Each structure stands twice: as C-alpha cells, then as structure tokens.
Amino acid sequence: MKRLNFFFILIILNFNIVAQNVNLQKIEPPNWWVGMQNNDLQLLVYGENISTQKVEINSPLVTVNSIITVNNPNYIFINLTIANDAQAGTFDINFKNKSKVTAKYTYELKNKTNIQRGFSAKDLVYLIMPDRFANGNVNNDNVANMLEQADRNNGDGRHGGDIQGVIDHLDYIKKIGATAIWLNPVLENNSPDYSYHGYAATDFYKVDPRHGTNELFKTFVEKAQAMDMKVILDVIYNHCGNNHWWINDLPSSSWVNTDKNFHTTYRGAVLSDPHSSNVDVFKFSAGWFVSTMPDLNQHNQLVATYFIQNTIWWIEYAKINGIRIDTYSYPFQDFMSKLTQRVREEYPDITLLGETWLQTVPHVAYFQGDSPINKNFNTHLQSVTDFPLYYATKDAFNEDDGWTSGLLKLYYVLSQDFLYSDPYNLVTFLDNHDLDRYYTSVGKDIKKLKMGLVFLLTTRGIPVIYYGTEIAMEGSEHMGHGHIRKDFPGGWQGDQTNIFTQTKMSKTQGDALNFVVKLANWRKSNTAVTEGKLMQFLPENNVYTYFKYTDNEAVMVMINNHNSEDRTVDCSRFNEILKDYSSAKEIISGTNYSDLSEIEIKAKSAMIFELYK
Ligand code: CA
C-alpha cells in the first residue's frame, strides 16, 4: 500500500506541479468552470515562501486582476476574471524567481453542466450518518496517515461505514420510499478522536479516505440520481477541525475568530431580539462552537470568498441537488446572505436548507428566505429546519390533551405558520443525528411511533427520516452521541440481524419497516399530500383531524391520542372539504369506506383516508 501511495503522489506532482525551489503544495479551488454567472475567480495558492515568487499567467482564457499577499509568506491569493467567451480549456500558472520558473500548475476550466433540480415537499429525505450505515469497503477502515483508526467498540469512534456502503444499499433506500438522500458530511476529518461525525473538516476539497474518494462521492450521486433519488450535501461554514491544514499554518490571525476558550452562547435568538446587546451578538457569532473547532471569520473577505467558491465547486463537481447548511445562524449573517445569494444566482433550481436549531416559530421563521418578519437580512434559504414542530411531535403523543398540551401542541405550532414565508418548504423530522431517537422519545411504544410517522408523512413540509427510525432504532442523546448513531443492522459483515436482507429482524423492526415502506411509497404518488394545502380542525375529544387538499384531490388524516378509549367521530364538522367526497380508502388497513358521516378510530392510533368523489 505504501508503495502505491508514493507512486500516486509522484504522478500528481508530475502532472500538475513542477516544484523546484519553492514547494507548491495546493491551489484551491483545484479547477473551475466556464459559463458561470459570475466570472470572477480567486485562487488560494499555498507553498513555502510562495509569496516571494512572481506569478505569470499568459492565456486568453483569463485576466489577472490582482495578487493579494497576507502576513504568512506561504500564501498568495490570485484574483482572476475568466473571459466572457472562454471555452473549456487549461492555462498554466508559472511561479518565477527572476526569469527562472520555480513551479508550475496547469489549471483547468471545464464546462458548467449541473442542471439538477432541488428537493421539495414532493420528496422524502433519508438522512444517513455514513460511518454508521454500512461498511462497503473494509480496506478503507484504517488508512495509514489518518490520526484515528477504526474501533467499533468505541461509541464515539470510527466504525468503518462509508460511501460504498451507501451505494451498495441504494435499492434499500429506494424501497423504503425515499426520494432524496442527505449524508452527514463526508469531507476529511483528520482528528485524533471523535472524527467520525464529519463536522470538523480538515480539508474542504477532499472526501475523507475512510469514506472513499471525491470520485466515489460523484459516482454515488450519479447512481442515486439514476434511480430517481436526489442528493443533499451537508456543509459547514461556521467552523472547521483544529487540524485543518490552514489552521496549522494560518494565512493571517484574522482567519479565525477569538480563541478556543471563548465559546458561543448557542443562543441564536440574539440575532432577532430587538433588545439584544452587541456583546451578546458578538459572543454568539464569534465564539467557538467547541474548543476543537476553530470559529471561522467570514468577515475576512478571503475566508468569505473561499467558502462561496468551495460551495459552488462541490455543487458543480458532484452535481448535487441541494445543500444542507450546518449551524446556519452561527456565522456572520451578512456573509451567509452573500453566499446563499451567489449560490442561488448560479443554481436557481437547487434547494438551500439551513439548520436553524431554535425553539420557537418566530425564531425559526426569521431565517427562511424572504421572511416577512426579518428586516435585517435575507437568507435566501428556501428551507429551514422546523424544530418547533419537532418538539411538539416529540411531546404530543406522550401527553394528555389539555389546553396547550398533547395534540394541541401540534395544532398551535402549525397555527403559527403565518410567520413563515413558505411553511410548505420547511424540513420536518421526528429525530436526527443530534436528537433522541423518536422510538425512545415515545417510550418504545410502536403505536406512538406509527402516529408520529403518519403525522410526519402527511402534514405540511419536507419530511426527513433519520436512518434507523424506519426500524424503530433506540437511543438517548444524554447517553452520548454514539447512542443515537448506532450501526445499522446488516451494514457490517457478521451482523446477526440484517435489515437489508430481512434476516433475523425482530417483530418490531419488521412492523415498523413495513409501515414506513407502505406509507412512504403511497405518499410518493399522492399529490394532495405532497403538493396540497393543509386545513386543520381544532382537536376535539382527543381526536385531531386535518386535510391535505388540491382542487381535485383530498386526504383526511385522523389521530386519536387517548390512551385507552376508542372514539366515534362525527364528520359533519369537516363538511367544507368532505362535501365533495362520498367514499374513501383507509391507507394503513386498506379498508374501503362508503359512508363518511362517522368514523371509528382506535385509541392511540392514526388513520389516513384517501378520499374519492
Ligand atoms: Ca469502510
């Protein structure tokens, strides 16, 4: 293996870089495209004392506008403009000491081709933590120059799951009814411990070798899209890993904010608070998320441009359908607006989703693009994460129905949708990689899990299923993140239970899986649910009824939240929609109804009625 790696490095050096007196190590972005809306390009060049060299580019493809040096002599930044009529091609960047060429990089401009569409409420997103889903390549579990090696006995360690494992099980993901896949970050995280989750990047242009390669990620996207599934890339602009190569040799001290002992307050509410103090805003935005993740200063224009270009690079390189932006509220918001605006100018059809982990509807609504309540900045995000509905869904089926408890929690959250610019584009979920597993939240009660799944898949929004929720996986966040990110059964050789082959599944696993497969695949083809409006009726007598409807179609959903009592529901109250329909099929049981005047519904259950005229 070592000989092979060495051979590979030699080829790269000969192909791109002829190093003599200076040691040219990196140019980022490593390539770019013609046909962009914006023809400006800024190259970060890294190499020992590179700033002492003269840069020479003689090509009709580009004009050099300026060269920026920084405190650290190992960096220069080259500002280029690509010619309007430039065709795909290459140009040489020569680094010279007087007249002698000391290093050379052949830079490639390719044709822009990504025309992928984004994701919406028509989709069901499947969220996968790649280290914990399936180990498709045991040869990459341990990579010689990486600081952390695989250890499946360590809940916080690397378990060997990878991109090949996801590729190998695309048929399973398709089978459960998902139409989009969101992977937690797969970029290099070369840290000595706790590196598997992917949120501490040490190279923003390189897939972690323990997950695969850039090319394999691209192959994964192609294969998923060929099976009509979209791909969402998880990106982070707030922080990186403390072993990032430029953190180890900072271009300038202003590349990062404050220091590792100065932590964020995690309270994004300060950004929308009309009474907030400057110190609170500064501490939230410029404090470090954790001591091992340097907080990036996006007010440094070089940092800002670096991340805008990095985002466009991945969208174009891998031809993804959308990006999910981690810790959206934490970076400086003027930068975030600039980034999202630029990405939407280049790719108006792809979807930008911001993680907005805030507790109340106004606090989250503030971050959706074109927000009616945010006069300070426009995020240009089509979608944000609906945490208020998550909290309500976590509680609703565990509580008795009171004035504001139980089913009323669901009703009240949805009744505040007037605060959002587009509530139908919110991302909804029962759990995710940071939260208690839903099955555990509802006391390992399969009835409540099913109620949650029905609600998730029929209310408004873009539903996300976290891997394992479809088989009632358990896990409590307070037991550690490893507890909510367990290995998916069947993803590893020798697993006793294999969900992919349906071997030795428990009754509960099979029951939950069949339920999701049935519901999600039905949802896929029902335009009332995926494209229709929501009408909800105040919960009454422990029963919550709502409709999704278009001009021609409607679905009625009924949830009985009482612990032990079945209910007979008089449906005349729902006449404003039901008057147009005379019969129905209940989707879960398959039962046909020719009389919709009264419905009997069991305790702790949900029913879905596809209505017919
Ligand atoms: Ca592996």
Side-chain angles (χ1 to χ4, degrees), residues 134-141 159-162 210:
N135 190 355
N137 177 5
V138 294
N139 295 322
N140 65 13
D141 295 0
H159 291 189
D162 48 36
R210 294 160 296 187

Side-chain angles (χ1 to χ4, degrees), residues 243-276:
N243 201 32
H244 189 286
W245 63 267
W246 38 238
I247 293 295
N248 289 329
D249 190 19
L250 277 178
S252 64
S253 58
S254 69
W255 200 262
V256 296
N257 288 317
T258 61
D259 69 70
K260 68 176 181 181
N261 298 315
F262 187 89
H263 284 191
T264 177
T265 56
Y266 309 98
R267 294 197 183 273
V270 297
L271 298 181
S272 51
D273 175 7
H275 315 294
S276 64

Side-chain angles (χ1 to χ4, degrees), residues 86 120 129 135-136 272 301 376 384 403 412 473 555 570:
S120 69
M129 177 143 289
N135 190 355
S272 51
Q301 289 310 306
N376 293 327
V384 289
W403 186 251
Y412 274 125
M473 265 172 93
V555 164
D570 175 355

